[in-house]
Amino acid sequence: MAKDGPNWEGLLKWSLAHSDGLGSNRNLSEEDRRWFMEAMQAQSVDVIKRMKEITLVMNTPEEVLETQGITPADIEDMLDELQEHVESIDMANDLHSIGGLVPLLAYLKNSHANIRAKAAEVVTTIVQNNPRSQQLVMEANGLEPLLSNFTSDPDVTVRTKSLGAISSLIRHNKLGITAFRLANGYAGLRDALGFDNSRFQRKALNLIHYLLHENSSDCSVVTELGFPRILLHLASSEDAEVREAALRGLLELARDKKGGNSGRVGEEDEKLKQLLEERIKGISLMSSEDLEAAREERQLVDLLWNAHYNEPSSLHEKGLLVLPGEDSLPPDVASKHFEPPLRAWAANQSTDNNSSTEKKQTPLLLGLGPPQEAENAQGTSSTVVNVDEQNNAPR
């Protein structure tokens, strides 16, 4: 199922051969122009045609594929290719119209764990910051097999990939969040935190933080389910990212309690105080390099202490909250984890059609490229893409 890509090496040789070394291109003969156009047409891929071919394979019964010598590894390669195609938001939305979404969701129930995991990855790519595809997947009942795999699949990779797909599917999707709640999704997240797998725990914690941040009324639900005790335990994890994610969850619960909502977090006050004192002690013993890497943890510990006890932590007195050279103001912990990625920006066509078109139609660069001044000017407009382990991850 492997595919042949464009002949980049040949195009590069052709480009260099027609450059005078000064950044300007020589005039091309009619024969050269004709050769180039023919080469481009020969190497170009009709994406919709390929997606239709992949859809045909996905609709073919597994036993028929086996008789044709198609292996599970071939199916994985095919899904890899499909994932590349649906990275374009237009192609992601077109997958349903050509009949490919339903058989893709059916692969979530495939007998091979690697195929189930890969299908979940493709779903993640399709729905990430894409309201239209989120709606189509919900209408196709795609949340149900994802939840089933997340909560009960025997393969932890399938569980992790399914959780990532769920996170992307319900993010900024009120109907998806409601369906997740009704399907007892919080209980699934609680169970996920008990797995001895840091990556799985991080994804679950990031989704918990997002849900609590967006819906503070859910704090009472997670409190009733015993999340505070679990978060306290994970806040002492050896994995720094798990610690930080657990502290973010505790901070959301603390802010909700401070806002006047009832909860049982108070019953864990002594354990929380002990935890924060241990973290402060651990931070005090860190090397300079580790202190820089633990900047967010330092801020979270201080914010959590302040939320519970209405006073700064001892990190202030020790001079460990803001190190020399760091900004005087603490980082915006929430926005770091909820800044919309590039694809969310691209989905809003009305904001900047020119930028969107430029992203989808990147021209081939022939010759040695623009002058240095133009390169410097272009460099100032580069966009930083924020990706979700929380999210919804990866994709």
Side-chain angles (χ1 to χ4, degrees):
M1 300 298 295
K3 61 182 187 298
D4 296 326
N7 184 8
W8 297 115
E9 183 178 358
L11 291 177
L12 177 60
K13 290 180 179 179
W14 184 90
S15 175
L16 294 175
H18 290 79
S19 173
D20 60 9
L22 299 177
S24 60
N25 295 330
R26 295 175 179 173
N27 292 330
L28 306 181
S29 67
E30 193 61 33
E31 181 181 359
D32 285 335
R33 292 180 183 277
R34 186 169 56 253
W35 176 88
F36 177 71
M37 293 305 299
E38 290 175 354
M40 287 299 299
Q41 291 174 2
Q43 293 295 337
S44 63
V45 176
D46 186 333
V47 175
I48 291 295
K49 180 181 177 182
R50 283 296 299 148
M51 288 172 59
K52 288 181 178 179
E53 293 170 350
I54 292 172
T55 297
L56 181 63
V57 175
M58 291 193 296
N59 277 314
T60 304
E62 189 173 350
E63 57 272 17
V64 175
L65 294 177
E66 290 178 355
T67 62
Q68 299 298 319
I70 305 300
T71 67
D74 293 327
I75 300 298
E76 290 179 58
D77 290 340
M78 179 190 73
L79 291 175
D80 273 328
E81 180 186 349
L82 179 61
Q83 185 172 12
E84 292 179 8
H85 295 324
V86 297
E87 285 178 355
S88 160
I89 199 167
D90 293 329
M91 294 299 103
N93 292 336
D94 284 342
L95 183 64
H96 175 70
S97 63
I98 64 174
L101 181 59
V102 172
L104 172 65
L105 295 175
Y107 269 167
L108 294 171
K109 302 178 182 179
N110 192 273
S111 59
H112 297 279
N114 288 346
I115 293 178
R116 295 196 301 274
K118 193 65 202 179
E121 271 194 86
V122 180
V123 172
T124 300
T125 302
I126 289 172
V127 301
Q128 188 171 29
N129 299 302
N130 185 347
R132 175 57 179 159
S133 281
Q134 287 178 335
Q135 178 185 353
L136 292 171
V137 171
M138 293 297 297
E139 291 175 352
N141 201 28
L143 181 60
E144 182 179 344
L146 288 172
L147 282 169
S148 176
N149 288 358
F150 159 53
T151 58
S152 59
D153 198 282
D155 188 282
V156 69
T157 300
V158 176
R159 288 193 172 202
T160 304
K161 299 291 186 182
S162 298
L163 176 55
I166 291 170
S167 180
S168 293
L169 178 59
I170 69 175
R171 194 171 292 264
H172 309 300
N173 177 2
K174 292 183 178 179
L175 291 177
I177 291 175
T178 300
F180 179 80
R181 286 201 202 99
L182 293 175
N184 209 16
Y186 275 116
L189 289 173
R190 179 192 58 194
D191 295 341
L193 297 181
F195 267 74
D196 187 18
N197 184 292
S198 57
R199 188 183 179 198
F200 195 33
Q201 290 173 337
R202 287 196 301 268
K203 283 186 176 290
L205 288 166
N206 287 333
L207 181 53
I208 292 166
H209 179 222
Y210 169 77
L211 291 171
L212 296 182
H213 185 81
E214 294 294 308
N215 308 277
S216 60
S217 60
D218 286 357
C219 288
S220 59
V221 176
V222 300
T223 299
E224 290 292 333
L225 289 173
F227 276 76
R229 177 182 55 80
I230 301 173
L231 293 176
L232 283 170
H233 172 71
L234 293 177
S236 299
S237 171
E238 294 182 0
D239 187 291
E241 292 184 33
V242 170
R243 281 200 312 272
E244 292 175 1
L247 288 170
R248 286 195 294 271
L250 287 169
L251 183 58
E252 291 297 333
L253 293 177
R255 285 170 172 169
D256 180 69
K257 179 188 175 186
K258 193 173 182 180
N261 292 329
S262 60
R264 295 181 183 172
V265 181
E267 299 177 5
E268 307 289 342
D269 272 352
E270 285 302 317
K271 292 181 180 179
L272 176 62
K273 186 174 184 180
Q274 181 181 357
L275 164 71
L276 294 177
E277 289 174 343
E278 289 176 355
R279 293 314 311 146
I280 291 172
K281 181 179 179 181
I283 291 171
S284 302
L285 297 175
M286 286 183 177
S287 64
S288 299
E289 183 178 349
D290 289 339
L291 280 172
E292 292 178 5
R295 182 182 182 187
E296 183 173 350
E297 182 177 359
R298 289 184 275 123
Q299 301 291 350
L300 285 168
V301 167
D302 182 70
L303 289 171
L304 194 51
W305 184 281
N306 205 318
H308 272 273
Y309 308 114
N310 295 315
E311 62 180 14
S313 71
S314 60
L315 289 174
H316 284 269
E317 300 175 6
K318 298 175 183 290
L320 297 175
L321 184 60
V322 180
L323 302 180
E326 291 183 342
D327 296 334
S328 57
L329 294 177
D332 187 345
V333 176
S335 65
K336 174 182 178 181
H337 296 275
F338 300 112
E339 180 182 355
L342 180 60
R343 189 172 183 183
W345 162 79
N348 187 359
Q349 296 292 336
S350 63
T351 58
D352 194 347
N353 289 329
N354 292 334
S355 297
S356 177
T357 303
E358 181 181 353
K359 177 65 180 177
K360 292 186 287 185
Q361 299 179 353
T362 305
L364 281 174
L365 182 62
L366 302 180
L368 298 181
Q372 185 65 32
E373 293 80 6
E375 289 182 356
N376 292 337
Q378 293 173 0
T380 61
S381 63
S382 59
T383 303
V384 178
V385 180
N386 179 24
V387 179
D388 168 352
E389 185 30 52
Q390 30 187 26
N391 303 251
N392 323 188
R395 274 179 102 187

